[in-house]
Amino acid sequence: MKEIQFRDAVRDAMSEEMRRDKNVFLMGEEVAEYNGAYKASQGMLDEFGPDRVLDTPISELGFSGLGVGAAMNGLRPIIEFMTFNFSLVAMDQLVNSAAKMLAMSGGQYSVPIVFRGPTGNAGQLGATHSSNFENWFANTPGLKVVVPSNPYDAKGLLKASIRDNNPVIFMESEVMYSDKGEVPESEYLLPLGVAEIKRKGDDVTLVSFGKMMKVAIQAADELAKDNIHAEVIDLRTVKPIDYPTVIASVKKTNRCVIVEEANPVAALSSDIAYNIQKQAFDYLDAPVIRVNSMDVPLSYSPTYIEATLPNVKRTIDAVKSVTYKK
C-alpha cells in the first residue's frame, strides 16, 4: 500500500488504463499543457503525447459531442469537465446522445465514455459553481453515476468506469483532491453498483456518498460517545444504488438517516427513503430522515455556506430524533 492524494489516484487510474488500452484518451479544458485545472492529469501529456491527451476550447457541448462520436466508433474517451456546473451546456450530448444511443440504435452502438470532474460546493465559488447534479444524471436511463469518497475508491471505481461499455458520470470534489489515503500498489478494480459498509453499528443506519461521507463518519464518531452506534454506508455508486446492502442494514438497525449535499426536492435521498419504506416498512421504528442542503442557491458568504450545507450537528440531531434521544 502507498499513501497518495485523491488527484493522484485519479491520474494513476487514467494512466494505467491508457497504458493498457491504446483506445483510451483524455480530453478537456487545460488537461494537457497545464496538467489539469486540479493537477489530476499531471505528467500525462509528457507520457502519452498530444494525440491522447487533448486540450480543448472552452466548449463543453463541442468536445462532449466529439467524445460521444469517438466512443461510437470504438474509442474510449475520458472527458473532463472543469466542474459539472459547466456540463449543463453539454446536457444534450450527455442525456440525448450518450445515454440513449445504445437503445435508439437497437444495440448497434455502445458509448463507452467517462465524463469526470468535480461536483458540488468547493468553498466560496458562488451559486453557479456549487451545484450538485448527481440526481439529474441518475434520473437519465442509460447513464451510470459514480461518486467516490476517498482515493482508494476513486482509483478502483474509475478504472472500472473506463472499462465499462456504458456511459459513466464520474463525479469528484474540488475540496477532496488533496485528501490522502492508502492505495494498493498492485492493480485492482472496484465493481460499480456495490456499496461499502464503512462502519458497523446496530442503532441507526447512516447512508451517504462523496464528500458527505466525512460528515457521516464524524457524526458517527460523536454519536458513539453517547453510546449510539451508527452503521455507516458509502453508496459509492448512485446509479445503480446497492439497495440490498442498504435494506439489510435498515432491517438490522430499524432506523435510517440519509446525508446528501444536493437540495432536497427530488433528491437521491428521496428515492432512497422511498425504497426503504417500500422494502423495509415493517422494520422501521422511526421515519427516515434526510439531511440535505437547504433549498436555496449556495451563497458566497462562509456563514451562509455553513448554514446551508449538511453538517455534523444537523446529522447528529437527525439521528437523535430517530432514536428518540435528546
Side-chain angles (χ1 to χ4, degrees):
M1 302 286 281
K2 60 179 179 179
E3 187 176 67
I4 62 174
Q5 292 185 338
F6 193 106
R7 60 167 56 87
D8 297 326
V10 171
R11 182 201 62 222
D12 289 353
M14 294 190 294
S15 296
E16 287 179 14
E17 291 306 302
M18 288 175 70
R19 294 181 196 119
R20 172 184 173 272
D21 185 348
K22 63 180 177 57
N23 291 318
V24 179
F25 69 93
L26 172 65
M27 179 167 55
E29 298 158 0
E30 300 185 349
V31 300
E33 296 288 347
Y34 191 65
N35 289 307
Y38 313 105
K39 299 300 178 276
S41 54
Q42 182 108 35
M44 292 181 65
L45 175 63
D46 294 337
E47 179 176 355
F48 300 105
D51 289 338
R52 297 184 67 195
V53 182
L54 292 82
D55 279 330
T56 68
I58 303 175
S59 177
E60 286 80 8
L61 175 65
F63 63 76
S64 295
L66 180 62
V68 172
M72 291 172 62
N73 283 278
L75 300 180
R76 290 184 174 270
I78 306 167
I79 306 298
E80 178 179 306
F81 292 125
M82 197 174 291
T83 162
F84 265 97
N85 294 273
F86 301 160
S87 73
L88 295 187
V89 296
M91 286 296 273
D92 183 57
Q93 298 292 357
L94 276 67
V95 172
N96 279 331
S97 296
K100 296 182 172 70
M101 189 57 64
L102 182 66
M104 293 185 68
S105 68
Q108 295 180 81
Y109 288 101
S110 60
V111 186
I113 187 171
V114 174
F115 298 96
R116 52 156 294 270
T119 182
N121 85 89
Q124 295 174 270
L125 294 184
T128 58
H129 290 66
S130 304
S131 297
N132 294 84
F133 299 123
E134 297 89 3
N135 56 327
W136 287 31
F137 293 116
N139 186 252
T140 303
L143 295 178
K144 296 183 179 181
V145 185
V146 182
V147 193
S149 66
N150 58 77
Y152 174 83
D153 288 359
K155 183 177 180 181
L157 291 168
L158 182 52
K159 285 172 68 69
S161 298
I162 294 169
R163 297 189 193 186
D164 201 289
N165 288 325
N166 299 283
V168 178
I169 307 295
F170 194 91
M171 310 183 89
E172 302 151 12
S173 169
E174 290 178 53
V175 298
M176 291 177 64
Y177 281 123
S178 60
D179 287 2
K180 292 184 176 180
E182 289 192 338
V183 173
E185 296 191 43
S186 58
E187 184 179 62
Y188 69 100
L189 284 81
L190 295 175
L192 305 187
V194 178
E196 182 184 23
I197 298 175
K198 297 289 189 182
R199 179 178 181 141
K200 294 282 189 179
D202 297 315
D203 295 324
V204 63
T205 298
L206 278 177
V207 178
S208 192
F209 56 91
K211 65 176 173 288
M212 287 297 108
M213 281 300 301
K214 294 182 180 181
V215 172
I217 292 293
Q218 291 176 34
D221 289 342
E222 292 299 315
L223 288 163
K225 298 175 184 178
D226 291 335
N227 204 33
I228 300 173
H229 303 291
E231 181 148 289
V232 183
I233 296 177
D234 184 350
L235 292 177
R236 289 176 163 173
T237 304
V238 298
K239 178 70 176 286
I241 289 175
D242 181 2
Y243 277 115
T245 295
V246 174
I247 299 303
S249 177
V250 172
K251 286 182 176 180
K252 179 179 72 171
T253 66
N254 311 117
R255 298 170 174 85
C256 184
V257 170
I258 308 160
V259 185
E260 179 188 15
E261 187 180 341
N263 304 113
V265 178
L268 285 162
S269 53
S270 303
D271 190 71
I272 296 168
Y274 163 77
N275 276 277
I276 290 172
Q277 67 82 26
K278 179 183 179 183
Q279 300 182 51
F281 181 82
D282 290 337
Y283 293 84
L284 288 172
D285 289 338
V288 176
I289 291 184
R290 303 182 301 145
V291 181
N292 292 80
S293 290
M294 301 301 181
D295 195 17
V296 295
L298 193 66
S299 172
Y300 176 82
S301 163
T303 53
Y304 281 134
I305 291 173
E306 174 63 23
T308 301
L309 296 175
N311 56 39
V312 173
K313 182 183 183 304
R314 287 176 59 198
T315 303
I316 290 174
D317 289 346
V319 169
K320 290 189 175 181
S321 175
V322 299
T323 54
Y324 303 114
K325 295 185 178 181
K326 296 181 180 180

